[in-house]
Amino acid sequence: DAGVTQTPRHEVAEKGQTIILKCEPVSGHNDLFWYRQTKIQGLELLSYFRSKSLMEDGGAFKDRFKAEMLNSSFSTLKIQPTEPKDSAVYLCASSYDWGGAYEQYFGPGTRLTVL
Amino acid sequence: GQGVEQPAKLMSVEGTFARVNCTYSTSGFNGLSWYQQREGQAPVFLSYVVLDGLKDSGHFSTFLSRSNGYSYLLLTELQIKDSASYLCAVRIDTNAYKVIFGKGTHLHVLP
């Protein structure tokens, strides 16, 4: 089984640009998460989908961050406009909540640098 | 406020053991997970506990005390490749997104 895939692995953007990050979750998983990871803040939740429906949009990140899930096997995260403080690793994770041990499967991440 | 705390760094010696601590203060508790994250890679699930006590999984063991808001991950017979960050994550209720991650403990295993 393929794990979570993310593209691109690295992205460099100028301040003010629009960038789109992509994620393909594990087949059969119905939960999908977008996180931002920095050394200072750790993992911060940006968005959460259950069965393609947006359940949580990360509050403070609503302004310039928009995640979409067009079908059960593909999600995008758009950042518009980018700012230097957005430089971080963006992780996508998927899971299936069967009521027991809840394991999130993470993708390799996209390292974003905003100049 | 709610939080999950972990020491930032830990050092230990190859062949010995390391205990990675996690303390939490949350409005609810619906399980605690541990993840390993190597430099430049994605977090990988190691263990999940929801009941008090020690869960022995060989190289990794996990302890939980819900009354004290405390867990630890115990790594035995350390190898150099165990050098990584270890993240503690507390699920605070049945909503899947309500998981609070600690910032991770970077374990450095010395030869």
Side-chain angles (χ1 to χ4, degrees), chain B residues 7-21:
Chain B
K9 294 182 183 180
L10 180 63
M11 259 196 284
S12 195
V13 178
E14 186 179 18
T16 68
F17 70 95
R19 191 177 78 188
V20 185
N21 293 321

Side-chain angles (χ1 to χ4, degrees), chain B residues 5-7 10 19-23 34 70-73 88 105:
Chain B
E5 301 294 331
Q6 300 182 244
L10 180 63
R19 191 177 78 188
V20 185
N21 293 321
C22 172
T23 56
W34 284 95
Y70 171 66
S71 174
Y72 68 71
L73 176 72
C88 171
T105 295

Side-chain angles (χ1 to χ4, degrees), chain B residues 33-44:
Chain B
S33 301
W34 284 95
Y35 290 81
Q36 179 191 62
Q37 186 175 24
R38 293 202 166 93
E39 188 66 36
Q41 297 185 29
V44 174

Side-chain angles (χ1 to χ4, degrees), chain A residues 37 40 97 102-104 107, chain B residues 35 37 42 45 48 91 96 103:
Chain A
Q37 186 176 35
I40 295 173
D97 195 357
Y102 192 70
E103 175 181 351
Q104 293 190 34
Chain B
Y35 290 81
Q37 186 175 24
F45 175 82
Y48 171 85
R91 184 169 175 178
K103 292 180 183 176

Side-chain angles (χ1 to χ4, degrees), chain A residues 11 19-20 25 51 56 67 75 98 100 106 115:
Chain A
E11 178 80 61
I19 61 111
I20 297 176
S51 302
E56 172 65 25
S75 177
W98 55 277
F106 286 84
L115 305 174

Side-chain angles (χ1 to χ4, degrees), chain B residues 72-85:
Chain B
Y72 68 71
L73 176 72
L74 180 70
L75 297 89
T76 55
E77 296 182 28
L78 283 171
Q79 302 173 51
I80 301 295
K81 68 178 183 179
D82 291 323
S83 295
S85 284

